[in-house]
Amino acid sequence: MNSFVFYNPTKIYFGSDKYGFIAKEIPKNSKVLLIFGGGSIKNNGVYDRVIKSLSGFEVVEFGGVHPNPTYEYLYDAIRLCKTESIDFILAVGGGSVVDASKFVAAATFYDGDPWDLLKKKSVVERSLPIGVVLTLPATGSEMNAGAVVTKEETQEKLGFFSIHSFPKFSILDPQATFSLPYQQRANGISDAFIHILEQYLTYSVGASVQDRLAEGLLSTLIDQGPRTLENPEDYTACANIMWASTLALNGLIGCGVPQDWTTHILGHELTAKFGISHAESLTSLIIHVWKERFEEKKEKLAQYAIYVWGFQANDLDSNAKQAIDKTRLFFQSLSMKTDTSHLNMSMTDIDNIVRRLEQRKSFPLGEKKTVDKDLCRKILISSRNI
Ligand code: NZQ
Ligand code: ZN
């Protein structure tokens, strides 16, 4: 196991009766900016519960945050924080709303162009405090220090991390997820699944604790995910999916192990270029990342075949191939795409993606830094399934 430092200060309130803690966690007399998305929270009762819990506070609202939030849209929220002297941001929604809130919170105290926080990786020195009421289990943003924002003008989707961006608290109410449409639910399960794989499916460093945790979370998503799809109001299944998704990317399973993130980095390019959902960008690619890097990945793929999919230990190569097949079938059972054939991605598109990553000095990618521009091109070509 590699050496590590683990720090995660976010307080979690888990369950259906936790909204009352919002008022206890936000400092008295704070002026609160309530950030939310396109309206789902007004249809499922979450907005009313949050507003009730904020009755003692002065509240300013900023709604309409889209999936894959844009810098352009959030600019007004940053201005609002300054002109209204906001003290605290409450994010109510999915990962896009939480990420948007983290960005606005950090940008409020940044003197230059806020896009520098992403593009130039400028250091976040200070941020407004944020709290979260989560309505979509997927990203782990409710308990991590990262955020991803898109610049529409240049079709760039970039992330930033800061120790100041951890939410102070997050309310995780499984009932708030009952209203999720099938595809959003499937997207969330797939995104969380791939977060675990990006941290687990690398090479062994003898970290049995992290491996067994990762395998347990993967098995939970495989078992409980379809239950939530069949019965969206199955509280127990929804609770398991919610907690598994949070644990998938709150830093715990990534401690002391190599991490990959190739699929995410390429996936962000597909979302920026083709406008597809974050989860679809990942499920369209990961199988092809594995196929093109089979030799590097096969030992861990075989381990995953045995511990997660229940195969008997057999020939290493055949176990590894079975794991790839099983993963593809699992995503397809959730109605997710497992290639990019539907995008009509041209060779020019592929060249542009590679050039962009090169300009950003993103290469080499992967846990062993073996994904150079040629391998990246191969992965994208393979994903077209032509
Ligand atoms: O906007 P509203 O009306 O709220 O509708 C949303 C949105 O249309 C809807 N929704 C959310 N909760 C609902 C609901 N509909 C009915 N009932 C509910 N309870 O779902 C749609 C998608 O929401 P969004 O927040 O975009 O989804 P998700 O949570 O998957 O977030 C995706 C964003 O997070 C980023 C992605 O890149 C993407 O921009 N990520 C953030 C990460 C992080 N901060 O650590 C890591 C991830 O890898 C990811 O990159
Ligand atoms: Zn993700």
Side-chain angles (χ1 to χ4, degrees):
M1 191 186 306
N2 300 333
S3 304
F4 63 87
V5 175
F6 178 63
Y7 173 73
N8 193 315
T10 302
K11 191 189 277 188
I12 298 293
Y13 290 98
F14 194 98
S16 54
D17 50 357
K18 305 296 178 204
Y19 293 84
F21 287 100
I22 296 173
K24 296 200 168 77
E25 286 294 337
I26 301 178
K28 287 203 172 33
N29 302 320
S30 294
K31 195 167 182 182
V32 179
L33 181 66
L34 179 67
I35 299 190
F36 55 96
S40 69
I41 62 163
K42 294 206 170 162
N43 299 327
N44 63 10
V46 170
Y47 175 85
D48 291 339
R49 299 180 88 172
V50 169
I51 288 295
K52 194 173 156 210
S53 72
L54 287 173
S55 59
F57 295 89
E58 193 178 345
V59 179
V60 178
E61 296 190 10
F62 184 84
V65 173
H66 295 285
N68 307 308
T70 62
Y71 159 80
E72 286 86 348
Y73 189 74
L74 300 178
Y75 212 87
D76 282 345
I78 299 166
R79 203 168 38 222
L80 214 51
C81 285
K82 292 178 181 172
T83 55
E84 294 283 335
S85 302
I86 296 295
D87 302 298
F88 198 97
I89 294 181
L90 186 63
V92 186
S96 293
V97 168
V98 181
D99 284 8
S101 302
K102 289 177 178 176
F103 177 63
V104 170
T108 298
F109 295 117
Y110 186 70
D111 286 336
D113 176 356
W115 186 244
D116 291 351
L117 295 171
L118 300 119
K119 182 84 180 178
K120 297 188 184 163
K121 303 284 172 219
S122 300
V123 177
V124 175
E125 306 277 4
R126 204 179 150 202
S127 175
L128 279 171
I130 80 162
V132 172
V133 177
L134 187 71
T135 64
L136 198 175
T139 64
S141 191
E142 65 279 7
M143 199 179 177
N144 70 34
V148 188
V149 177
T150 299
K151 190 170 190 182
E152 242 173 352
E153 187 197 343
T154 52
Q155 290 187 327
E156 287 172 289
K157 187 176 185 197
L158 302 174
F160 79 94
F161 294 87
S162 164
I163 204 162
H164 302 293
S165 298
F166 279 108
K168 300 289 170 221
F169 68 90
S170 286
I171 307 280
L172 271 55
D173 170 11
Q175 278 187 32
T177 71
F178 287 179
S179 57
L180 277 166
Y182 180 100
Q183 201 55 56
Q184 296 302 349
R185 204 178 279 284
N187 282 357
I189 296 163
S190 306
D191 187 24
F193 202 82
I194 293 180
H195 292 159
I196 302 164
L197 292 172
E198 297 262 43
Q199 298 164 91
Y200 164 78
L201 223 137
T202 57
Y203 58 90
S204 177
V205 289
S208 301
V209 175
Q210 290 85 329
D211 277 3
R212 297 295 92 80
L213 284 171
E215 288 151 0
L217 292 173
L218 290 167
S219 301
T220 302
L221 292 170
I222 292 167
D223 176 45
Q224 305 282 308
R227 288 187 198 199
T228 65
L229 290 166
E230 276 155 33
N231 181 4
E233 301 203 1
D234 179 335
Y235 181 91
T236 304
C238 289
N240 279 301
I241 290 299
M242 200 167 208
W243 191 223
S245 304
T246 301
L247 292 174
L249 199 55
N250 73 344
L252 184 65
I253 65 167
C255 286
V257 295
Q259 302 189 16
D260 186 350
W261 300 107
T262 302
T263 302
H264 267 73
I265 290 166
L266 300 188
H268 287 339
E269 295 303 312
L270 295 190
T271 297
K273 169 72 192 159
F274 299 102
I276 58 175
S277 74
H278 173 61
E280 183 185 324
S281 78
L282 306 176
T283 58
S284 302
L285 288 174
I286 194 159
I287 304 296
H288 309 280
V289 171
W290 288 347
K291 283 187 175 165
E292 293 301 322
R293 300 174 63 199
F294 188 75
E295 287 304 314
E296 276 182 81
K297 296 278 195 189
K298 67 183 184 186
E299 280 186 29
K300 214 62 195 277
L301 277 168
Q303 179 183 322
Y304 162 61
I306 295 161
Y307 279 84
V308 176
W309 292 110
F311 286 102
Q312 295 298 313
N314 200 331
D315 167 58
L316 185 77
D317 281 35
S318 87
N319 271 352
K321 283 180 187 149
Q322 281 168 325
I324 297 181
D325 270 352
K326 273 290 194 184
T327 310
R328 185 174 48 74
L329 291 171
F330 176 59
F331 288 141
Q332 286 173 351
S333 78
L334 304 178
S335 308
M336 300 302 298
K337 306 276 190 218
T338 52
D339 60 47
T340 60
S341 52
H342 58 299
L343 300 179
N344 295 322
M345 180 162 54
S346 67
M347 280 312 293
T348 312
D349 293 330
I350 291 176
D351 285 341
N352 287 341
I353 290 173
V354 172
R355 191 172 319 116
R356 228 164 219 250
L357 290 169
E358 209 177 4
Q359 281 164 354
R360 232 180 272 145
K361 302 192 184 350
S362 303
F363 295 122
L365 299 168
E367 64 274 23
K368 287 187 178 162
K369 304 271 175 230
T370 50
V371 184
D372 58 11
K373 62 178 182 173
D374 293 333
L375 188 47
C376 170
R377 189 176 278 110
K378 269 192 187 168
I379 291 167
L380 292 171
I381 291 172
S382 150
S383 77
R384 299 192 306 174
N385 259 353
I386 293 175

